[in-house]
Amino acid sequence: MRSGTYQLLLTFSLEVETIKFKKDKKVIFFFLLPALLFWSIFLFYPILRSFYKTFFFTVHNINPEFIGFGNYIKLFNDPVVWLATKNTFIFMIAAVVFQVGLGILLAIFVDLIKYGKNFFRTTFFFPIVLSAASLGLLFRLLYNYDAGLLNSVLKFFDMDPVLWLDASKALAMVMIPTIWQYVGFYFVIILTALTKIPNALYEVARLEGATTFQRVTKITLPLIIQDIRVTIVLAITGTLKVFDMVWMITAGGPFDSSQVLGTYMYSTVFQRRLFGYGSTIAIFIIVLGVVVTSLTNKFIGDKDVTID
Amino acid sequence: MKTKFSPKKVLNKVQDYFIEISMTKFVIYMVLIAWASTTILPLLWVANNSFRTTTQIVDAPFSLPDSFNLANYVTATERINILNSYKNSLIMSGTTVLLVLLFGGMAGYAMSRFKFKFRGFINKMIVVALMIPAFVTVVPVYEIFIDLGIVNTYLALILPHTAGNLVFATMMLSAYMSSVSTEIEEAALLDGATRWQIFSRIFVPISRPAFATVGIFTFLWSYNDLFSALVFVPNKSVQPITVLLNQVKSQYGTDLGLQATAVIVTVIPVLLVYIILQKHIIKGLTQGAVKG
Amino acid sequence: MKKSMIIVLAMLLVLSVGVVNAGAVELRVYSMFSGADPASGVYEELIEEFKAEHPEVEIVDESATLDESVKVRIENDFASGNEPDITMYFTDSQAKPIVESGRVTPLDEILANSPEWKNGFLDSVLEQVKYSDGNIYALPITGFYEGLIVNLDLFEEHDVKIPETKEELFAAVETFRANDIVPMAAGLGMTPHYNIEHSILKVGGAAAHDAGIADEINPMWVDGLNHMQELYEADAFQKDTLTQDWSGARQLFKQGRAAMLVEGSWAIADAQNEGANRVTIVPYPKVGENGNQSDLIAGFTSGMYLSKEAYNDDEKQEAVVELLKHLTSKEAIKKIAEANGGLPAADVTPAGLSKPYQDGLEMFKNADHVSLPIDAQIQRPAWQTLVDGVAYIVSGRRSAEDILETVREIELQTR
């Protein structure tokens, strides 16, 4: 009997099924209209204009000169773009594994404990609110060769100082703080998702004699799969836009070894002032993002799960 | 199964139970405390620096608190009208949050509870929207605002912030709403409820934790957006508090102490908003509605 | 959504339409004198003075530290006709989007009608801020000079001569390295600007430095960049210079861990670290045959622009010209120069300058020739390509010729 209930609780319906009404078309339109209006004016109209600009050579955003596919040809022949793309993909995998992974782990842990929930919920949020300028400074002071904290520690133990930001380590050294800073974000999202799992489910599982591990893998994770998918999409798109912390610590150097697409786009637009080419990189980033998220959705499957 | 009652066996079982529990709990607490220390120390470092001078920070960046000097806070109040800037920030980010929750909730509901032709297309558009960089939107939007004459008004930040944050809000809220049981919805429809009533009376209350989370991050991102603030509202009397962060550096040198102070001054309201809103991220409200 | 929430929302929206101004003449001003700028206090006083004298004029101060977002705003303001009535901006190659928008007034005639105002400026300075079409669009306030900032305590302690020649420079590098002191702090990775300029100037002389790159690649530019590589190989810079910018370099110098720093007059006060370092500024040593010991990089590369629309507006004209006059008067220039230690654009002597700044003015007066920085002469995309190429050159990953070839290509395309 008990076992039956348990089974029943864990069968999810995999389709969103609602009763259909004739008036639904109007209803959908009404519910979506405000968001679509905002997006059209403030996001899609600008990106279309930007797309148009990719066919021009423009410096300082003035006197555009039509060059056809010139910017796209330049993009495919620009070795820095490919290096930055490679780095961005490494970054992306690390972000999905560690950011989302740690976010899930910490959220489940906090959900499991009794004492100190609020303490951890509050403190894990701290890095997100600190500005990139202050965290960038902090990590520069940690990595600094002559006066940094890490080398001071090594010196204390009589070891040779390390050049933390050389070409072989720079990418890892900028990934660590960037990923660390936003773990709290994924933590909060997963924590939110966990609220929709009824305690009754856990109660049944406990009575069935399930271990903590089983409880997590058999109930918790399957039920928040939709939210995990959202966090993965956010981690992928977030990485494609990663910029400020990398900029503060290495600006993509040395020799572009920590260059990511976000920093390269920034320096193209704001330092070199090549708006047309910068827009081309922006379009490239968006196309990459759409392709990668579509593949990911194929991989995880994008069926909805409801608790019935 | 029948066994003979044996006090020793029971005792052993209880002991095993406690060992299992406490070992798991111990590891969990250790991991949580370890992570918390990495998140607390940087904030303490910044807070400590906010009481120090640039010279002190340069000479010993990681020294323990050595002074409790409020000079940086005094300078901060001279650089910017802090109360007025807080007010501007709260009006702009507060309005943004309310608009995003309303429109994002509506869009999230439509995306999660209906099947329609363009659903897949809109989902793709949402992914595209997530990646549009600020430099792409800033120029066209600025031109629109100049034409409308709303540069230097609160709307100049509220409108683009609402558009930008609606993307995340729609994703997050539709993911949350998608797992709500269909039975309640069906029952309500059969009772003659309108879609709006179902949305506002059932889905909004059920999704309160998700609304709280969206509110938190919308507030944070809108509040922290220095780039848009410097472009869309150049007039000092309308600028939000985050502009203080632009006021601490120049080629003449960066005032590291004042920078830390600016961070603390800007961070406090965000932390307050977080602490208030995260109270809603709790279990229990869903129990009645989600069948379990 | 609850009704109360919607009411609150409606109220906030009404509130947010905000800020309506009174009927008076309203003038919008943008200056870089804001926040951490040492002249921001003086600037605010000047604005207050003006307000007191002209109660009918309302001033909207849009000043902000000039970062990339503010640059975007200003360039776009000019592109779309929303420019402030008075704008402080660059007069070098970055002036292009401002002047070519056609929205700024040539000031030559206005100055000619007001001889007292015009005579306040040094003629040579007005010459320097002329746009390539021969008109003056911006009125300068203060300028800068660059050089080698040295930590006198370290030089004395290790008995090193302040270098004037290449040999002395490398001797100093060797001594400081041997004593575990960074000889020259620099941000070669992100901001090698000052090192590039001085290396080319002191290897190849002013003519080579000022030649630009459009016509040909001057061989002196190659030699100049190779001089930086030679220094890099001699361990002259801090080990992590390739991932640092000026602030990291300046920090080492401030801590007393570095003996030399190539920077500008704006950095002197900061480099002293509130008196912890005794410093002075000297010309970068003469490195090559064609270099000249006393030559400097110095000049005026910013000024106040006047909006054409404001000037042609009968209601605004008088007030806006008065305000421009007020902000660029001889007295105003003197006060600002005293605050930021820069070169005054007027024939005044700033009072109360500290010793290193006095040394700097002296150095400026003794210069045989002053050049504007290279980025005043070549286009921004080309200049940035050179800047980004430095790490590749000094580490030997790409040759100077190779990088300059790319730079020239971009320069030609941009023109």
Side-chain angles (χ1 to χ4, degrees), chain C residues 3 17 25 74 80 90 102 147 164 174 177 216 243 265-266 288 300 316 374 410 413:
Chain C
K3 273 192 188 127
V17 180
V25 179
I74 290 170
S80 45
F90 297 113
E164 291 184 359
E174 204 177 320
R177 254 307 156 204
E216 52 149 6
T243 50
S265 47
W266 58 82
F300 293 78
K316 275 188 182 174
I374 292 180
I410 294 171
Q413 195 182 14

Side-chain angles (χ1 to χ4, degrees), chain A residues 91-108:
Chain A
F91 213 129
M92 200 185 281
I93 293 165
V96 171
V97 173
F98 293 108
Q99 247 171 6
V100 176
L102 279 172
I104 294 173
L105 187 81
L106 294 173
I108 288 176

Side-chain angles (χ1 to χ4, degrees), chain B residues 53-61 78-79 90-91 94-95 98-99 101-102 138-140 142-143 146 151-155 158 196 199-200 204 211 226-239 246-256, chain C residues 1 5-6 8-9 12-13 15-19 28 33-38 40 44 60-70 72-73 76-77 79-82 142 194 246-247 250-251 254-255 263 265-267 269-270 273-274 276 340-342 357:
Chain B
T53 65
T54 302
T55 304
Q56 286 170 323
I57 299 172
V58 163
D59 292 344
E78 285 163 359
R79 286 281 162 81
L90 289 180
I91 291 176
T95 312
L98 294 180
L99 288 172
L101 292 185
L102 175 64
V138 71
V139 171
Y142 193 44
E143 285 170 5
I146 290 170
V151 172
N152 277 331
T153 69
Y154 293 141
L155 276 180
I158 293 170
W196 177 260
F199 167 68
S200 61
V204 171
F211 276 99
L226 180 59
F227 185 81
S228 305
L230 287 172
V231 178
F232 297 139
V233 285
N235 185 350
K236 286 188 170 160
S237 62
V238 198
Q239 282 181 330
N246 168 270
Q247 306 264 321
V248 297
K249 52 167 197 202
S250 77
Q251 61 171 348
Y252 292 91
T254 303
D255 188 333
L256 298 177
Chain C
M1 290 275 132
M5 209 159 159
I6 293 180
V8 173
L9 196 74
L12 284 174
L13 273 178
L15 256 178
S16 59
V17 180
V19 199
R28 286 170 51 211
F33 301 128
S34 174
D37 192 291
S40 62
E44 275 157 27
V60 178
D61 185 16
E62 300 184 351
S63 300
T65 303
L66 191 62
D67 62 9
E68 298 308 332
S69 45
V70 176
V72 168
R73 175 180 102 213
N76 215 56
D77 270 340
S80 45
N82 185 49
T142 58
Y194 322 117
W246 59 262
S247 69
R250 213 186 279 174
Q251 184 145 345
K254 283 170 78 170
Q255 288 173 323
E263 265 257 32
S265 47
W266 58 82
D270 195 29
N273 196 11
E274 292 175 12
N340 68 13
Y357 280 104

